Amino acid sequence: MALQALIGARIFDGTEYHAGAALVLGGGQVAEICAEAAVPNGARITRLAGGLIAPGFVDAQVNGGGGVLLNDAPTATAMQQIADAHAAFGTTSLLPTLISDRPAAVTAAIAAAVQAVAAGQGVAGLHLEGPHLAPARKGTHLPAHLRPMTAADEAELMAAVAALPLLVLTVAPEQVSLAQVARLAAAGAVVCLGHTDCDMATAQRYFAAGARGVTHLFNAMSGLGHRAPGLVGAALDTGTAWGGIIADGTHVDPASLRIALRAKRGPGRLFLVTDAMSLVGTAGKSLTLDGRKIRRESVGGGSRLTLADGTLAGSDLDMASAVRFAAGPLEQGEAEALRMASLFPAQFLRLSDRGHLAPGARADLVYLDAALRLLAVWRGGALFPAAKDLRGR
């Protein structure tokens, strides 16, 4: 097995830092972290000019990228194009995410994910965000697509769990029963609550039944009130619950996210997701979803995507930008921000071979400068070029 050793940069393995060390890769995996002087004989050495090596980013919710929206083309080719677009921003594993759609689109997305995962190029599974969501919290989801989960739906999802290594389901208690959640979770699905008006007590019952977390904390869910803690309160107060957050300064006020990060009871953690749409990685100004135009607008130092009525429609966020936002405005610091983009989402998704740089882990890594800007990406040990910032961020 040919070995490659990366030296000259600090190494963050997902838990701790290593200085004066080498990261040795071989066969698409991490072989070891050792002293530079102890690099195995025969290893090809790449000397880096300072900077930081860290685990590749893991994104549990990606609707599109590189000009491709999964709902427009629920195919393996589209999933790979999305994965490649986000790899250029440091995301080495992701879940293509289908927004609520017709039953045929769900069936097609499941079949496509089986093919895309088998290719082993960054697609780790599938995330179905809907269609079993509450109309009262529809967000950008088309109300005509939202419906209760039927026995036939459950059977199809059970078959998908068996066919895929990873299936995330975002559902609302208004549309899915406790028994359905319990059966799906027991079969291996990662069930999340989202797009729901459920109260705290209901959410706690669903967590107890097997729901593992919430989809984009604060957004499209019952909020935290002083007498009605809602789903936000349940997610923060339930130790087993995990939660994705969209850290772009638009979806949630940074102060609210800082408060949530301080308040979250473990062992479940809050982690970064992008909820990205197709414009990430492009210079485009708009896209279309279900016949509705979504516009890219500049705001602050970044951008946002909205429908004509101002409703947020996914995000224009890449994971490298989310890491910088977490380290800075969210006051998490470098190490924790990196964990929020790699180790924590990998743990949430039960992907034990990624999110860290221990021996035997996938050779998925990012190379960053002192400002946490991306310099290079390795996916499965292969160098993948980092993206030029098309929006000047």
Side-chain angles (χ1 to χ4, degrees), residues 216-217 219 244-254 257 261 271-275 315 317-327 329-330 340 393:
H216 44 52
L217 183 73
N219 296 113
I245 59 172
I246 306 172
D248 62 356
T250 296
H251 278 75
V252 186
D253 189 283
L257 288 177
L261 285 159
F271 57 90
L272 300 173
V273 296
T274 63
D275 195 20
S315 89
L317 182 65
D318 63 81
M319 193 61 86
S321 295
V323 167
R324 292 191 294 272
F325 194 89
L330 298 189
M340 290 173 68
R393 290 193 300 191

Side-chain angles (χ1 to χ4, degrees), residues 9 14 30 41 73 95 104 116 123 133 145 153 178 198 218 220 257 261 283 323 348 353 357 361:
V30 173
N41 290 333
L95 297 187
V123 177
L133 308 177
H145 294 325
D153 294 326
L178 275 171
C198 73
F218 288 108
L257 288 177
L261 285 159
V323 167
F348 162 68
D353 65 342
L357 297 178

Side-chain angles (χ1 to χ4, degrees), residues 157-234:
L157 295 174
M158 284 290 195
V161 171
L164 289 165
L166 177 57
L167 178 66
V168 173
L169 303 172
T170 296
V171 301
E174 293 93 327
Q175 304 279 37
V176 180
S177 71
L178 275 171
Q180 288 171 321
V181 165
R183 289 191 292 267
L184 287 162
V190 177
V191 181
C192 291
L193 305 182
H195 288 271
T196 173
D197 247 341
C198 73
D199 60 20
M200 181 173 185
T202 299
Q204 289 173 322
R205 288 194 293 272
Y206 276 76
F207 290 140
R212 187 159 172 81
V214 299
T215 293
H216 44 52
L217 183 73
F218 288 108
N219 296 113
M221 65 179 61
S222 46
L224 174 62
H226 68 301
R227 291 195 181 94
L231 180 53
V232 171

Side-chain angles (χ1 to χ4, degrees), residues 15-59:
T15 302
E16 60 185 20
Y17 288 92
H18 304 260
L23 178 66
V24 183
L25 311 176
Q29 296 182 326
V30 173
E32 62 175 326
I33 296 176
C34 64
E36 289 187 6
V39 170
N41 290 333
R44 177 169 56 88
I45 295 176
T46 299
R47 180 172 292 277
L48 303 173
L52 175 68
I53 296 170
F57 306 144
V58 179
D59 196 341

Side-chain angles (χ1 to χ4, degrees), residues 56-142:
F57 306 144
V58 179
D59 196 341
Q61 188 177 8
V62 186
N63 311 301
V68 178
L69 187 67
L70 185 59
N71 283 68
D72 289 342
T75 67
T77 298
M79 290 180 176
Q80 192 60 61
Q81 290 173 322
I82 292 168
D84 289 348
H86 285 271
F89 294 97
T91 297
T92 52
S93 294
L94 57 73
L95 297 187
T97 301
L98 188 76
I99 300 166
S100 297
D101 209 323
R102 300 169 181 82
V106 174
T107 300
I110 293 169
V114 172
Q115 297 179 48
V117 170
Q121 297 298 310
V123 177
L126 176 66
H127 184 160
L128 296 175
E129 188 185 3
H132 312 299
L133 308 177
R137 292 284 184 170
K138 65 183 185 301
T140 193
H141 294 244
L142 198 65

Side-chain angles (χ1 to χ4, degrees), residues 261-316:
L261 285 159
R262 291 194 297 269
K264 179 69 184 91
R265 177 181 290 181
R269 306 298 294 261
L270 301 183
F271 57 90
L272 300 173
V273 296
T274 63
D275 195 20
M277 300 293 268
S278 60
L279 294 182
V280 170
T282 79
K285 299 299 182 184
S286 66
L287 70 138
T288 301
L289 174 65
D290 291 321
R292 298 166 296 167
K293 186 176 182 179
I294 296 172
R295 299 171 297 177
R296 173 186 261 172
E297 302 174 344
S298 296
V299 54
S303 53
R304 66 182 178 187
L305 305 180
T306 63
L307 294 171
D309 64 2
T311 300
L312 289 173
S315 89
D316 201 25

